Amino acid sequence: MFESRDPAVAHAQAYPRLLGDIGGTNARFGWQALEDAPITHVQVLPCAEHESLLAAAQTYLNAQGLSAPPCAAFGIANPVTGDQVAMTNHHWKFSVNALREGLSVSRFLLLNDFTALALSLTLLPDAQKRQVGSGTAAADAAIGLIGPGTGLGVSGLFPVGYQNKWMPIAGEGGHVSLTATTAHEFAAIQQLQKRYGHVSAERVISGAGLVDLYHALCDLKDGQGREITTPAEVIERAQEVATSTANEALDMFCGFLGSVAGDLALTLGARGGIYIGGGIVPRLGERFDASPFRERFEAKGRFKKYLQEVPTWVIHSPVSPALQGASQALSLTQWQ
């Protein structure tokens, strides 16, 4: 998390707020007029159509007829360790201070997008999450978050005291090494190692990763099927033909996600549950429920019973919850 403030402004007005959820493919923007007000004027802009994040944000403000607010906060799919940012899954590079100045805001907060999403989890209404498998959330216990999209985001929340306060974590758990549990998975990973060397979880559990996994399975068979080049095509083919390589790839994708999510639950002690965000899993619907995800989530030997009691939810929200999380982050840092 990195904050930039205008040194000429001692106390910036808290509202209205420009909010952003910046991924490798799309930039989502929203506007919050007052405290506890809903986020409005939501617009999604393709990153590839704008030369910079500043240009995308300015396009949004102009399209919505909005003037520069006193403060803004963006979650971004990237590590945030200082003023200079170079996106992992997109070409945008920028200075946080320069971005604040370009937007003409007094306060600007940049944080990891999954840290922002994590901050929204305790505010998520029941209607915007769907449970997969069994388990009941333990009160005042850590919560985990994982989500495949353009990349693989990972975060979580830890309870602070007993006043329903939470501390988010910012990490790069999507880049942990991916491990196989079957000989077939190991063979697929070996195919990917030929191309990438190190095979991280994100190399498979992401949009591009699903395509790469599908191609790896094709190569292990007859090499046919490389005309499919997008995750949407893999998912569509999987739904059309139950015995297809695409269906096999989708099952393996969900199984890998279950294994990594189970590892996350054990690492964090996330008895408060694991949430699944990102743009891919919500689109799978009941197909995800029937996948190996939950079985693999629980398949941790002596800790199977422990994980059977940990609930897993898929986030279904019409508006990116990370926008609300970005606003939460602004409020948390307001007096620091």
Side-chain angles (χ1 to χ4, degrees):
M1 187 179 300
F2 187 84
E3 183 174 9
S4 174
R5 300 193 183 210
D6 184 344
V9 179
H11 298 289
Q13 185 178 334
Y15 293 89
R17 295 173 170 181
L18 169 63
L19 305 169
D21 175 16
I22 315 302
T25 302
N26 293 309
R28 297 168 179 81
F29 296 100
W31 185 265
Q32 190 172 28
L34 298 167
E35 185 177 5
D36 296 327
I39 295 171
T40 61
H41 299 78
V42 176
Q43 185 175 358
V44 180
L45 300 177
C47 296
E49 295 181 6
H50 300 85
E51 65 178 21
S52 66
L53 177 52
L54 175 60
Q58 290 174 329
T59 296
Y60 164 78
L61 290 172
N62 291 334
Q64 297 296 328
L66 299 169
S67 301
C71 55
F74 294 173
I76 189 168
N78 211 73
V80 179
T81 58
D83 176 62
Q84 296 296 321
V85 177
M87 291 186 68
T88 304
N89 292 314
H90 193 61
H91 69 269
W92 286 345
K93 298 180 180 180
F94 58 91
S95 154
V96 178
N97 287 315
L99 181 57
R100 177 190 60 76
E101 293 173 358
L103 289 171
S104 300
V105 299
S106 299
R107 287 186 66 211
F108 181 78
L109 183 66
L110 189 74
L111 66 160
N112 177 266
D113 62 334
F114 264 66
T115 305
L117 182 55
L119 281 167
S120 75
L121 295 180
T122 60
L123 304 174
L124 202 65
D126 289 342
Q128 294 182 14
K129 58 184 182 181
R130 180 172 57 83
Q131 186 166 350
V132 178
S134 60
T136 301
D140 298 319
I143 295 170
L145 170 66
I146 188 168
T150 304
L152 179 64
V154 176
S155 186
L157 290 174
F158 287 103
V160 180
Y162 298 94
Q163 298 177 339
N164 199 29
K165 294 183 179 179
W166 299 85
M167 178 180 292
I169 57 174
E172 290 299 321
H175 298 280
V176 299
S177 297
L178 189 66
T179 57
T181 61
T182 69
H184 197 40
E185 286 182 350
F186 183 68
I189 288 176
Q190 284 185 311
Q191 289 293 315
L192 295 172
Q193 284 175 332
K194 295 175 183 178
R195 179 175 181 182
Y196 296 114
H198 176 244
V199 179
S200 67
E202 183 176 274
R203 286 296 189 192
V204 170
I205 313 170
S206 64
L210 176 59
V211 177
D212 280 342
L213 179 61
Y214 167 74
H215 287 164
L217 293 177
C218 288
D219 291 343
L220 289 172
K221 294 181 178 180
D222 54 12
Q224 301 297 312
R226 284 188 166 272
E227 70 278 3
I228 290 181
T229 58
T230 69
E233 290 174 321
V234 177
I235 293 170
E236 182 179 2
R237 180 70 61 86
Q239 293 172 334
E240 290 175 350
V241 185
T243 59
S244 66
T245 303
N247 191 63
E248 181 185 355
L250 191 57
D251 268 348
M252 190 175 287
F253 173 96
C254 294
F256 276 129
L257 176 58
S259 289
V260 176
D263 288 344
L264 178 63
L266 291 175
T267 301
L268 299 183
R271 295 183 302 111
I274 295 288
Y275 287 78
I276 304 166
I280 296 177
V281 173
R283 298 177 186 175
L284 300 180
E286 293 182 358
R287 173 66 177 77
F288 184 71
D289 299 11
S291 79
F293 166 79
R294 183 69 196 193
E295 178 184 356
R296 288 283 293 275
F297 176 81
E298 298 174 2
K300 300 296 180 183
R302 292 171 294 170
F303 272 76
K304 180 174 183 178
K305 185 177 186 303
Y306 179 98
L307 288 170
Q308 285 176 333
E309 297 173 359
V310 176
T312 51
W313 293 284
V314 178
I315 299 170
H316 288 273
S317 177
V319 177
S320 171
L323 296 176
Q324 184 64 59
S327 182
Q328 283 286 102
L330 268 177
S331 296
L332 289 172
T333 60
Q334 184 172 0
W335 307 116
Q336 293 180 4

